[in-house]
Amino acid sequence: MESAPYILHYAPDNASLIVRLVLEELGQPFRTELVDRKLRVQDSGEYRRIHPNGLIPALDTPDGPIFETGAILLWLSERHGALAPQPGTPERAAFLKWLFFTSNTLHADIRLHFYPDRHAGAPDCVPAFSAATRDRIIRHLGLMEVMAAERPIWFRPETPSILTWYLSCLLRWLALYPEGGTGWFDPAAWPSLNAIAAAMELRPAAVKAALAEGLGQTIFTKPSYACPPEGSAT
């Protein structure tokens, strides 16, 4: 794999999982470089030269490193002409608005939900902050459920796209995190989204990623905590 065109800087069961799944779905050769969260490698000078914000993932490409999950996914889909409506097609506008909604709104609020103590201010504000963030996530998922029920060509169980992979991973993490705080989350409340996740976890890309990162078999519909061969998910 030394000649692989891509190097994925990853940690198990982090946002890098989305990129790994897309690379597998595209059939693109890549190798991985572990960003060991236990050792805070993401804060090292070496990694910060790749990703100045010290977040995961980053992807080394023939055109240089890329960071931000949504940007990586969009670049890959355009580079390889797959897994998204391409520029100039009628479906492109609708796809882009939902991709950026997922990246900039849904995913952003999920991060707040996972780490309320970092964002709420005073400790006594955490419960109210968490409740408000959870309410927003529920609204976001409701909007995506309406979109999914309309079955656009780029968001169907039988049609993988960078967005179906993205959404499936977000559903996984909502079912797992924060530990002890997932009782509110019921995938059955969003049947069209759950159908996407159920179909995605059967694909060969999901099977390969699950083996590589120790995710178990039902990685989206009945997820378990990662037991990776290297590194740590948290």
Side-chain angles (χ1 to χ4, degrees), residues 16-205:
S16 50
L17 173 61
I18 309 166
V19 181
R20 181 192 287 271
L21 288 161
V22 167
L23 287 167
E24 294 286 8
E25 184 69 48
L26 288 169
Q28 290 299 311
F30 67 98
R31 63 182 178 91
T32 56
E33 290 285 346
L34 176 67
V35 183
D36 195 329
R37 294 186 59 176
K38 289 291 186 185
L39 300 178
R40 300 297 302 176
V41 170
Q42 66 268 34
D43 294 331
S44 68
E46 182 179 0
Y47 187 67
R48 292 279 180 147
R49 284 190 287 274
I50 299 168
H51 194 321
N53 288 326
L55 300 175
I56 302 166
L59 184 71
D60 282 331
T61 80
D63 294 343
I66 308 176
F67 55 87
E68 293 294 327
T69 302
I72 295 170
L73 299 179
L74 189 59
W75 186 90
L76 284 171
S77 73
E78 292 182 354
R79 180 82 167 194
H80 299 287
L83 300 184
Q86 296 302 295
T89 59
E91 299 87 4
R92 179 74 168 181
F95 177 82
L96 286 178
K97 70 183 180 185
W98 285 108
L99 175 65
F100 280 86
F101 176 81
T102 300
S103 178
N104 296 355
T105 303
L106 176 59
H107 194 178
D109 269 341
I110 288 174
R111 285 184 54 83
L112 297 179
H113 175 59
F114 291 167
Y115 307 107
D117 54 312
R118 301 181 187 177
H119 304 286
D124 59 353
C125 295
V126 168
F129 180 91
S130 295
T133 306
R134 184 170 62 247
D135 287 346
R136 290 198 305 274
I137 292 170
I138 291 171
R139 290 197 298 272
H140 302 335
L141 292 174
L143 293 174
M144 295 202 75
E145 173 68 18
V146 171
M147 176 273 288
E150 295 174 351
R151 293 179 59 83
I153 189 64
W154 38 264
F155 204 75
R156 296 178 181 176
E158 68 274 17
T159 311
S161 70
I162 59 174
L163 189 50
T164 59
W165 284 121
Y166 202 156
L167 185 278
S168 297
C169 288
L170 295 181
L171 294 179
R172 168 185 170 79
W173 297 322
L174 284 170
L176 293 175
Y177 302 106
E179 292 189 47
T182 61
W184 65 275
F185 181 72
D186 179 10
W190 302 285
S192 296
L193 300 183
N194 196 44
I196 295 285
M200 293 300 105
E201 76 181 7
L202 298 177
R203 297 191 64 80

